[in-house]
Amino acid sequence: MRNITVVKPFFINNFYSMLANTFMGGLREMVAAVEVSNLIRVFGTKRAVNGLNLKVNEGEIFGLIGPNGAGKTTTLRIIATLLKPTSGNVKVFGYDVISEAENVRKLISYLPEESGAYNNLSGLEYLRFMASFYARNREEVESFVMEGAKISGLKERLSDKIKTYSKGMKRRLLVARTLMIRPKVAILDEPTSGLDVFYARYVRDEIKEYARSYGVTVLLSSHNMLEVQYLCSRVALINNGVIVEEGSPEELFRKYDSNNLEDVFIKVSKYG
Amino acid sequence: MVNALTTLIVKEVKELLRDPKILVGTVLMPIIMFGILGSIFNFSIGSARESLENISIIVVNEDNGPVSSAFKNFIENYPAAKITALYVQNINLAFDELKKTNASGIILLPKGLSQNITKGIRGEIVSYILLSSLSMTEQGKASIFQSIVESFNKVLSLQIISSQIPSMDPSFVSNPIAGGYYTYFRGSVLNIPPQIVTGTLYLQIMMMPIVIMIMLFSVMTMASTSIALEKETKTLETLLTLPVNRITILIGKLSGSLFVAVLGTVAYLLGFNYYMSSLMGGFGEQQNIDLSALGINITPLGYILMGIVFFVSIVSALALAVSFSVFSEDVRSAQASMSYIFIIILIPTLVLMFVDVNALPLISQILIYLIPFTHTIVASKSIMLGEYSMVLINIGYLILFTIIVLYVAAKLFTTEKIFTAKISFKRKKLTE
Ligand SMILES: Nc1ncnc2c1ncn2[C@@H]1O[C@H](COP(=O)(O)OP(=O)(O)O)[C@@H](O)[C@H]1O
Ligand SMILES: [Mg+2]
């Protein structure tokens, strides 16, 4: 079960999860793409994450939504092996993020909330640099880079230095490099924050299209409810370091008698 | 798997060398700066020399005797420069001419000069040297008048001796004793005056600390800049989630910044060398002798030890820089923190250049020897002087220190500290 290759046609992933969900659901438990149990992270006296539970299944686009300071970034950084949990368990495809961090890093591709790229490299050089760590040989590097170039949509600007890029162009490049290597899990922290509507729309569509066609499991965070509604098959509402509600957007709409997640969130935090 | 370390190093070198500040500041600047300084020096020396090779003076001959005709003859055949002389009757006319022409000065042969000298009374030749600017040429002029009069003095003296004591060799009478200066150095007698020995040692051995200091400084600046750049451009977070061993990332950083630092040091040394050779060439007869003439031979073992000392020192400097820059948020504060560490290198360098450590009070000695880079300098000096016994202790201390800082750097790199640690070295503005 642990010999998961990074590159695998998406339909096989989907096939497995379909199989697991429909026929074998009760018989054999699938290994979750991401499984977080009783996660606590304390900074000084601040409990940034306070007993968080989360399960992301393979192949889904999962949204973590909540206001600023809710603990989204801290949670994602722990999953991405950057921070250590104070207590609790976090596993990515069965690998523990502390004791098996090196294995986890092979499966994930992480886009930090605030991220830049090396200013003195060209976009293409940057893609090649990033691809080198995931590819098994030169040919694969080049095929990753080709994909990245396509996803970014930056065309001939890719041969310019990154310092000449606008914020939106940089973000497109970064999203492209996150997805081009076809990770098992892409972790995207507020992928569209700070972008104008056009760039935000572009990035959103990039994520939706390539996550599906590559069969990449996506775990993203956002404080933009519309975005999550548009992108995600399942969402979790996070507040003060805990998940306060979870389900598909439709389920939540029904449950809270609403037609947008913003409304749901307010109802949950008021009465929940 | 494509080689991760190579990928990291190549990226590091590209990112650093393409940064205009780094490229200009560490690689181009030393070459340009020293190049310009050296060229200015060369140019002014050249023009000074040119103007000194052709000098015109005004001679006031009030004497009109045998000494003044001897002087006239003397300056016509003056070996060191081509002298054009303009003869005038009195000093007032001479000053008028000095204003009108481009003469460098006036030489006055006063009335009764020949008479006095034939009588055995010392005469006087007076020079008025025109000072038109504060350039090197003017300084050269002053000395040319002096050497004209001094050489003429010698010629006259020899003439007088040979006419008064025809039986003896005039050069013997004027210098009956020749001084012989030998140096007793490290147990053997050298047929070289001590000034030349110290001069040579100074140039070749005392310069070592400066070179080491420059090297260490540029290595540290580079390593801390490279870490801080990752933080400033917000690339560190991504870098640390790559499927690469963190130690590999650390080694990549160290090697990349070392490469650029070596480039910078080579540029610095080339520039410095050019500057120094311009300077030396300008001052003329610099006696340069080989170290081997002083009985100093660096053996193959010496070279190996020197290599170890350098390598270990540089690695520890790199690791030290990395450990410190982990705590700074941007390039500016990283470089500010480096300047504190740099003081630690500067102290032993300066002290060891001018003072014999063993002559210091015990407490100062202990403090100086606690600073690891003291051992770099002390060891490299000892190696050049062929004294290997203490070098092993120096190397031992350096290795111990290096292991400790490397361990700290690796710990900082493999824990979340590199990511969460923040200490500002910047001073807060009062208005904030
Ligand atoms: N390195 C840190 N040190 C101290 N407090 C932190 C640190 N990182 C996050 N926090 C605090 O933890 C809480 C959760 O932050 P974060 O996970 O960034 O929230 P979100 O991403 O949902 O906006 C906030 O109150 C934040 O101030
Ligand atoms: Mg956040």
Side-chain angles (χ1 to χ4, degrees):
Chain A
M1 202 57 229
R2 288 202 165 180
N3 294 331
I4 299 153
T5 46
V6 178
V7 191
K8 198 158 66 173
F10 70 95
F11 52 86
I12 295 194
N13 291 337
N14 286 358
F15 177 70
Y16 277 141
S17 46
M18 250 168 57
L19 207 69
N21 291 342
T22 29
F23 303 111
M24 299 171 72
L27 297 176
R28 183 171 64 89
E29 211 190 330
M30 278 291 296
V31 178
V34 178
E35 187 157 19
V36 178
S37 30
N38 299 319
L39 179 65
I40 294 177
R41 173 66 210 222
V42 181
F43 292 111
T45 54
K46 170 84 194 167
R47 281 179 168 253
V49 180
N50 193 10
L52 187 137
N53 291 290
L54 194 69
K55 192 172 168 194
V56 180
N57 296 317
E58 190 170 2
E60 61 182 359
I61 300 186
F62 191 96
L64 201 56
I65 51 171
N68 289 329
K72 303 183 293 294
T73 298
T74 307
T75 305
L76 295 186
R77 280 175 173 170
I78 290 170
I79 298 169
T81 74
L82 285 168
L83 291 177
K84 300 236 173 331
T86 305
S87 69
N89 261 314
V90 179
K91 285 190 158 59
V92 176
F93 282 102
Y95 292 110
D96 187 83
V97 290
I98 307 170
S99 58
E100 294 162 304
E102 306 252 333
N103 288 322
V104 172
R105 287 181 196 136
K106 286 184 190 137
L107 303 177
I108 61 168
S109 184
Y110 173 56
L111 176 64
E113 182 173 3
E114 282 178 51
S115 177
Y118 299 101
N119 281 326
N120 295 312
L121 300 187
S122 71
L124 220 48
E125 281 175 319
Y126 178 68
L127 292 180
R128 194 164 288 126
F129 170 73
M130 293 301 289
S132 309
F133 297 101
Y134 299 92
R136 284 161 304 185
N137 50 49
R138 293 268 157 221
E139 291 76 51
E140 200 169 49
V141 171
E142 289 315 309
S143 84
F144 282 165
V145 171
M146 295 246 289
E147 285 297 301
K150 196 171 82 190
I151 302 171
S152 77
L154 291 173
K155 302 199 174 78
E156 65 279 358
R157 288 301 307 274
L158 277 173
S159 38
D160 295 343
K161 294 261 176 70
I162 292 175
K163 64 177 154 207
T164 65
Y165 290 9
S166 71
K167 191 175 177 190
M169 290 167 67
K170 243 183 236 176
R171 202 69 181 165
R172 272 160 70 174
L173 182 71
L174 291 169
V175 171
R177 72 104 177 119
T178 312
L179 297 175
M180 72 180 178
I181 56 145
R182 306 178 178 221
K184 290 295 286 180
V185 185
I187 302 169
L188 312 173
D189 196 356
E190 311 237 5
T192 61
S193 80
L195 298 186
D196 66 33
V197 283
F198 296 107
Y199 274 124
R201 165 66 67 82
Y202 186 95
V203 164
R204 237 169 256 151
D205 289 339
E206 272 178 329
I207 295 169
K208 195 162 190 167
E209 181 184 342
Y210 289 97
R212 196 176 293 149
S213 72
Y214 291 166
V216 173
T217 307
V218 176
L219 170 57
L220 61 84
S221 82
S222 180
H223 60 264
N224 182 337
M225 311 284 171
L226 284 174
E227 169 170 299
V228 175
Q229 206 168 312
Y230 173 75
L231 274 178
C232 300
S233 48
R234 230 147 50 80
V235 298
L237 311 188
I238 178 173
N239 203 9
N240 293 325
V242 287
I243 303 291
V244 288
E245 189 54 275
E246 200 180 332
S248 72
E250 296 75 28
E251 278 168 17
L252 297 181
F253 296 156
R254 229 178 296 129
K255 185 167 170 189
Y256 289 91
D257 188 24
S258 162
N259 60 3
N260 68 75
L261 280 174
E262 210 168 288
D263 219 35
V264 171
F265 195 89
I266 289 167
K267 283 183 179 160
V268 171
S269 33
K270 246 189 211 151
Y271 314 112
Chain B
M1 179 74 185
V2 183
N3 190 323
L5 184 60
T6 320
T7 309
L8 285 165
I9 295 175
V10 168
K11 179 227 97 192
E12 200 66 49
V13 171
K14 273 186 189 167
E15 179 74 358
L16 287 174
L17 274 188
R18 284 183 189 171
D19 190 309
K21 275 178 290 184
I22 293 172
L23 183 66
V24 172
T26 57
V27 183
L28 296 182
M29 206 46 189
I31 292 184
I32 295 171
M33 191 181 70
F34 283 123
I36 290 176
L37 276 179
S39 306
I40 290 176
F41 204 88
N42 265 346
F43 178 76
S44 47
I45 290 272
S47 65
R49 190 172 285 150
E50 213 166 86
S51 67
L52 292 182
E53 273 163 8
N54 276 299
I55 188 164
S56 83
I57 56 177
I58 300 162
V59 181
V60 184
N61 189 355
E62 292 177 349
D63 176 56
N64 287 316
V67 173
S68 50
S69 28
F71 184 76
K72 192 173 171 179
N73 196 26
F74 172 74
I75 56 172
E76 266 166 23
N77 301 305
Y78 190 64
K82 187 177 160 9
I83 299 175
T84 319
L86 174 70
Y87 291 87
V88 297
Q89 292 306 314
N90 61 56
I91 191 75
N92 292 331
L93 285 173
F95 280 114
D96 287 344
E97 286 298 326
L98 188 59
K99 273 179 221 151
K100 276 187 274 173
T101 62
N102 64 347
S104 303
I106 302 166
I107 290 183
L108 170 64
L109 308 168
K111 208 178 210 126
L113 178 66
S114 301
Q115 232 173 341
N116 280 341
I117 288 174
T118 27
K119 270 195 235 156
I121 301 171
R122 178 179 285 158
E124 189 186 20
I125 291 179
V126 183
S127 303
Y128 298 90
I129 302 143
L130 175 71
L131 197 62
S132 52
S133 69
L134 288 176
S135 67
M136 247 185 283
T137 321
E138 300 295 313
Q139 285 178 26
K141 271 192 216 158
S143 65
I144 217 167
F145 278 82
Q146 243 166 357
S147 37
I148 290 174
V149 174
E150 261 161 37
S151 328
F152 185 55
N153 216 1
K154 244 178 226 150
V155 170
L156 271 191
S157 154
L158 292 179
Q159 269 176 21
I160 292 167
I161 292 169
S162 67
S163 70
Q164 297 298 315
I165 322 174
S167 58
M168 293 184 91
D169 178 5
S171 63
F172 160 73
V173 177
S174 63
N175 273 318
I177 292 175
Y181 302 97
Y182 294 82
T183 308
Y184 185 71
F185 179 63
R186 305 201 314 134
S188 54
V189 175
L190 306 170
N191 185 10
I192 305 162
Q195 308 90 286
I196 294 179
V197 175
T198 49
T200 306
L201 286 180
Y202 191 81
L203 259 182
Q204 314 217 14
I205 295 181
M206 306 289 179
M207 281 303 286
M208 280 293 274
I210 296 183
V211 174
I212 294 172
M213 186 177 71
I214 294 168
M215 181 72 204
L216 290 179
F217 187 56
S218 81
V219 159
M220 292 174 84
T221 313
M222 215 47 68
S224 69
T225 305
S226 113
I227 297 274
L229 262 181
E230 298 272 3
K231 288 200 165 190
E232 199 173 287
T233 52
K234 301 265 190 300
T235 46
L236 185 66
E237 213 174 331
T238 304
L239 189 70
L240 296 176
T241 59
L242 294 180
V244 191
N245 193 306
R246 293 266 176 100
I247 299 293
T248 309
I249 297 179
L250 177 64
I251 295 173
K253 279 242 160 281
L254 298 185
S255 322
S257 28
L258 179 61
F259 180 85
V260 178
V262 166
L263 273 188
T265 307
V266 168
Y268 208 93
L269 291 182
L270 283 180
F272 191 69
N273 196 33
Y274 173 69
Y275 174 68
M276 285 306 276
S277 63
S278 313
L279 225 61
M280 293 301 166
F283 290 133
E285 33 18 87
Q286 175 74 30
Q287 268 188 292
N288 248 331
I289 50 167
D290 228 24
L291 278 178
S292 56
L294 304 182
I296 295 174
N297 293 303
I298 304 179
T299 59
L301 174 66
Y303 280 114
I304 292 172
L305 290 177
M306 192 82 102
I308 294 174
V309 169
F310 258 71
F311 181 74
V312 176
S313 306
I314 285 171
V315 170
S316 68
L318 280 167
L320 197 62
V322 165
S323 307
F324 269 80
S325 47
V326 157
F327 296 98
S328 33
E329 274 172 87
D330 53 28
V331 174
R332 262 184 50 215
S333 62
Q335 287 174 350
S337 73
M338 278 312 103
S339 60
Y340 292 103
I341 302 180
F342 190 48
I343 295 172
I344 303 176
I345 303 178
L346 201 62
I347 292 171
T349 310
L350 291 179
V351 169
L352 293 169
M353 270 174 78
F354 300 111
V355 194
D356 180 5
V357 195
N358 300 324
L360 292 173
L362 190 63
I363 286 290
S364 321
Q365 274 192 45
I366 291 173
L367 285 179
I368 294 251
Y369 276 118
L370 276 179
I371 299 172
F373 301 109
T374 301
H375 297 265
T376 313
I377 296 166
V378 170
S380 57
K381 272 190 195 170
S382 314
I383 291 168
M384 290 197 81
L385 295 174
E387 296 154 357
Y388 296 153
S389 52
M390 288 295 286
V391 171
L392 290 181
I393 295 175
N394 298 135
I395 290 180
Y397 187 76
L398 277 170
I399 288 181
L400 185 71
F401 176 73
T402 307
I403 289 174
I404 293 171
V405 275
L406 260 185
Y407 179 78
V408 171
K411 260 272 161 294
L412 287 170
F413 238 79
T414 47
T415 60
E416 60 176 57
K417 270 282 176 300
I418 185 167
F419 191 61
T420 50
K422 267 168 203 155
I423 293 176
S424 181
F425 283 90
K426 269 186 291 188
R427 255 182 235 153
K428 291 215 169 64
K429 281 184 195 147
L430 285 174
T431 47
E432 279 175 357

